């Protein structure tokens, strides 16, 4: 049986490596499409700037110059859209590669020592893609601090924050969604050291973690503001605790600067927590749930 599992794992790993190599080759070839487009766009922009300078010197715009500028602007708009499409396709390939590597990390999480396990968990925070808007597009649910829709259900394998009872006390943990049946989630604690790892929970006791990182430049509203309470994963653990936001991320790669609240309503020193592991603070009725609402399976 062990031999069969080993062969299966090796086959899956081999396919993942093959898929990753195929994508990397595709990415390498596609990158050569970018410089000519950028160069062409720069040429059009230079023509526009030169034409405008001539109009300014004349102090007026003649019909011919006006017609030329309109044509150049239309060309620039078309070429910019083309450049954006090429770059977005490149990003899609990069995200596919990251996803393959993320799956490898997930399998490693189950077999590593505590310190390595926590480092790998932090790496997963940088594997989720950054959301880039098109024109005036608003950030979608689960981008940064944007809440999921009420009807949303986390997919099997997605990470969530789950309110469970372990060792006689309730705690919010990082868990993996296993299934959603009859209005309830089946989740598994990602910390393999825990004895009780599997739980069946009402939907209100599960918070899906962000699937995309937000960028402060393109979507500043997709962040929790300063002085707002949140649930944040305490560094070097897999548990979430109440924290006060002191500064949102400055870039898409930065984390929140937060102060964790202890049992005596005092605050810790400033700590940094990745966007991936910060979610909205739950309502009071969720904080003290009935034991009957949580069942181990």
């Amino acid at each position: 049986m062990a031999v069969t599992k080993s062969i299966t794992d090796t086959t899956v790993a081999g396919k993942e490596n093959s898929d990753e190599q195929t994508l990397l080759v595709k990415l390498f070839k596609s990158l050569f499409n970018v410089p000519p487009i950028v160069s062409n766009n720069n040429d059009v922009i230079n023509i526009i700037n030169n034409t405008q300078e001539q109009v300014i010197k004349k102090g007026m715009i003649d019909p011919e110059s006006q017609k030329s500028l309109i044509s150049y602007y239309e060309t620039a708009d078309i070429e910019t859209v083309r450049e954006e499409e090429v770059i977005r396709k490149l990003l899609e390939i990069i995200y596919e590669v990251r996803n393959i590597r993320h799956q490898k990390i997930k399998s490693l999480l189950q077999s590593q020592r505590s310190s390595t396990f926590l480092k790998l968990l932090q790496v997963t925070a940088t594997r989720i893609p950054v959301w880039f808007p098109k024109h005036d597009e608003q950030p979608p649910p689960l981008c940064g601090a944007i809440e999921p829709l009420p009807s949303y259900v986390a997919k099997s394998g997605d990470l969530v924050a789950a309110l469970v009872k372990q060792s006689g006390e309730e705690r919010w943990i990082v868990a993996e969604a296993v299934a959603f049946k009859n209005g309830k989630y089946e989740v598994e604690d990602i910390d393999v050291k825990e004895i009780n790892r599997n739980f069946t929970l009402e939907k209100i006791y599960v918070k899906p973690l962000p699937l995309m990182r937000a960028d402060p430049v393109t979507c500043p509203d997709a962040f929790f503001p300063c002085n707002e309470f949140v649930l944040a994963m305490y560094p070097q653990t897999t548990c979430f605790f109440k924290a006060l936001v002191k500064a949102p991320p400055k870039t898409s790669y930065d984390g929140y600067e937060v102060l964790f609240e202890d049992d005596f309503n005092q605050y810790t020193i400033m700590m940094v927590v990745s966007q991936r592991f910060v979610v909205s603070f739950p309502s009071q009725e969720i904080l003290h749930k009935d034991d009957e609402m949580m069942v181990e399976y």
Side-chain angles (χ1 to χ4, degrees):
M1 188 71 178
V3 174
T4 303
K5 184 179 186 303
S6 176
I7 293 173
T8 302
D9 291 346
T10 302
T11 303
V12 171
K15 183 180 185 305
E16 287 180 345
N17 289 333
S18 175
D19 291 343
E20 182 178 337
Q21 289 301 316
T22 300
L23 288 169
L24 288 174
V25 170
K26 183 179 179 181
L27 177 63
F28 179 76
K29 292 180 178 178
S30 299
L31 283 171
F32 286 102
N33 297 327
V34 177
I37 296 175
V38 173
S39 177
N40 188 47
N41 284 351
N42 288 337
D43 290 341
V44 175
I45 291 171
N46 288 332
I47 292 173
I48 291 173
N49 290 335
N50 292 333
T51 304
Q52 287 180 330
E53 286 178 6
Q54 292 174 12
V55 170
I56 292 172
K57 288 178 181 179
K58 291 179 182 179
M60 61 174 292
I61 183 168
D62 57 79
E64 185 177 343
S65 297
Q66 184 180 34
K67 185 178 179 180
S68 297
L69 275 174
I70 291 174
S71 176
Y72 293 143
Y73 275 120
E74 289 175 346
T75 301
D77 183 56
I78 294 171
E79 291 301 317
T80 300
V81 170
R82 182 181 167 216
E83 181 179 344
E84 180 186 359
E85 289 176 349
V86 170
I87 292 175
R88 285 187 181 278
K89 287 179 180 178
L90 291 174
L91 286 172
E92 287 176 4
I93 297 173
I94 292 171
Y95 295 154
E96 286 186 60
V97 172
R98 280 185 170 181
N99 185 53
I100 290 174
R101 293 182 177 180
H102 174 65
Q103 297 305 319
K104 292 178 182 177
I105 290 174
K106 281 179 63 177
S107 63
L108 284 173
L109 284 174
Q110 302 296 325
S111 60
Q112 297 300 317
R113 295 176 300 174
S114 181
S115 60
T116 306
F117 166 85
L118 292 170
K119 288 178 182 177
L120 288 172
L121 186 61
Q122 289 299 329
V123 169
T124 66
T126 63
R127 297 295 183 189
I128 60 175
V130 180
W131 182 77
F132 293 106
K134 292 182 178 179
H135 306 297
D136 296 328
E137 187 181 9
Q138 296 300 307
L142 292 176
C143 171
I146 306 299
E147 292 280 351
L149 297 174
S151 59
Y152 179 80
V153 173
K155 297 177 182 177
S156 177
D158 284 354
L159 293 184
V160 299
L163 180 57
V164 303
K165 192 168 186 178
Q166 289 178 324
S167 304
E169 65 179 44
E170 292 179 352
R171 63 180 70 166
W172 285 92
I173 63 168
V174 181
E176 183 175 298
V178 176
F180 186 78
K181 301 176 181 177
N182 302 319
K184 294 183 179 181
Y185 275 105
E186 292 178 6
V187 302
E188 182 179 51
D189 189 341
I190 65 169
D191 190 346
V192 295
K193 299 191 304 300
E194 291 291 340
I195 297 175
N196 300 322
R197 296 180 58 207
N198 300 301
F199 303 89
T200 298
L201 304 169
E202 296 283 349
K203 191 177 180 182
I204 59 172
Y205 305 130
V206 175
K207 284 182 164 290
L209 297 187
L211 297 177
M212 291 171 283
R213 285 175 287 149
D215 189 312
V217 176
T218 57
C219 46
D221 295 333
F223 294 92
F224 294 107
C226 291
N227 298 319
E228 181 167 321
F229 285 110
V230 295
L231 274 183
M233 189 178 74
Y234 196 90
Q236 301 305 308
T237 75
T238 59
C239 293
F240 291 83
F241 296 95
K242 185 178 182 180
L244 184 67
V245 175
K246 297 309 294 180
K250 296 179 179 62
T251 72
S252 61
Y253 290 95
D254 294 333
Y256 285 91
E257 293 181 7
V258 302
L259 299 174
F260 284 95
E261 186 177 280
D262 62 22
D263 295 335
F264 304 99
N265 294 324
Q266 301 294 315
Y267 292 104
T268 63
I269 60 173
M270 194 83 73
M271 298 187 184
V272 178
V273 182
S274 302
Q275 285 188 51
R276 173 74 154 154
F277 300 116
V278 178
V279 295
S280 61
F281 194 70
S283 59
Q284 284 299 119
E285 59 266 24
I286 295 177
L287 288 176
H288 304 291
K289 66 192 182 74
D290 189 334
D291 289 346
E292 295 180 358
M293 303 293 283
M294 182 276 293
V295 181
E296 295 177 19
Y297 73 91

